[in-house]
Amino acid sequence: MEKLLKDDERLDYLLAENLRIIQSPSVFSFSLDAVLLAKFASVPIRSGKIVDLCAGNGAIPLFLSARTNADIIAVELQERLADMARRSVGYNGLDERITIVKDDVIGIAGKLGYEKYDTVTCNPPYFPAIEASEKNLKEHVAIARHEIRLTLEQAVQSASELLKQGGKAAFVHRPGRLLDIVTAMRANRLEPKRIRFVYPKEGKEANTLLIEGIKDGKPDLKILPPLYVYGQDGEYTEEVRLLLYGQDE
């Protein structure tokens, strides 16, 4: 039997979903962005097919598994992260519903199938490529967060290639890239339909963007109410508490 934890890994709780996930402080730990995207994305409830791109250690597929009975394929380029994701999926007994694929997001539709999927989620690298000297400090994190191996445009193209007509693609990114992501989506037949801005707290600038588009959809964009992470007291807002801890917190 494969060893569950390796090196400095730990087993953390996903409290709202009553699941566990393998994380490593030196390699990769998921952020609030993964939680927000998994709860924001529109998913088929009873059946269907979902692909999560840039899956990291598998947080988004695990979160999604609590919302849907659809089959989920998670694509992650880095073997170490894909291995962590596989072990987490196995630990939670979800092998029949979640498949971890260690592969490049670029061109992945050629392997998984074109226009077959109902939903694609993607938490792509946010930042421009960085110098090699910085990159080598923490390679796993650098590749996950910087456009070293995948650009925003390439991620959007792959999402579109995977989706059926009428399928939905949901992304989390930084507000400064809003026009870039809308441009890329429209260039790839993904019509933006829902946007939500996430703010650290009231009175601060938004620092996270959630956006969902429909393949070959008609133009009709909805701007959803803002989501505030912290209240003025420095504690999580009620909405974020429910996302993280569930109803019983």
Side-chain angles (χ1 to χ4, degrees), residues 73-221:
I73 297 174
V75 181
E76 171 52 46
L77 175 64
Q78 300 189 68
E79 176 56 47
R80 176 72 195 279
L81 300 186
D83 177 53
M84 291 167 68
R86 281 190 206 100
R87 284 180 279 129
S88 290
V89 168
Y91 182 83
N92 290 289
L94 291 167
D95 292 290
E96 292 186 3
R97 293 179 50 203
I98 301 174
T99 302
I100 307 297
V101 175
K102 188 270 170 191
D103 213 325
D104 200 326
V105 167
I106 300 169
I108 192 63
K111 299 175 182 179
L112 300 183
Y114 289 93
E115 303 195 339
K116 286 179 55 178
Y117 298 91
D118 302 285
T119 298
V120 174
T121 54
C122 183
N123 181 1
Y126 293 152
F127 307 109
I130 53 178
E131 295 299 321
S133 57
E134 290 182 79
K135 191 164 51 181
N136 291 336
L137 291 176
K138 221 171 186 181
E139 187 179 10
H140 295 289
V141 176
I143 291 174
R145 295 181 180 168
H146 295 262
E147 295 181 328
I148 297 164
R149 299 288 297 272
L150 180 73
T151 66
L152 173 58
E153 292 75 14
Q154 289 167 331
V156 172
Q157 180 180 346
S158 288
S160 179
E161 289 173 348
L162 290 162
L163 281 174
K164 299 174 179 176
Q165 188 174 31
K168 297 178 179 179
F171 303 89
V172 60
H173 218 288
R174 293 291 174 254
R177 300 295 299 277
L178 172 60
L179 295 184
D180 293 335
I181 196 167
V182 167
T183 299
M185 289 173 72
R186 283 190 150 176
N188 286 281
R189 299 167 55 195
L190 298 176
E191 183 60 32
K193 302 289 280 187
R194 299 165 62 229
I195 287 179
R196 191 171 195 191
F197 292 102
V198 182
Y199 300 79
K201 65 191 328 184
E202 283 194 64
K204 299 291 186 180
E205 292 184 2
N207 62 358
T208 303
L209 164 72
L210 297 162
I211 184 167
E212 183 176 78
I214 294 180
K215 189 166 184 177
D216 297 328
K218 295 179 180 178
D220 180 24
L221 177 62

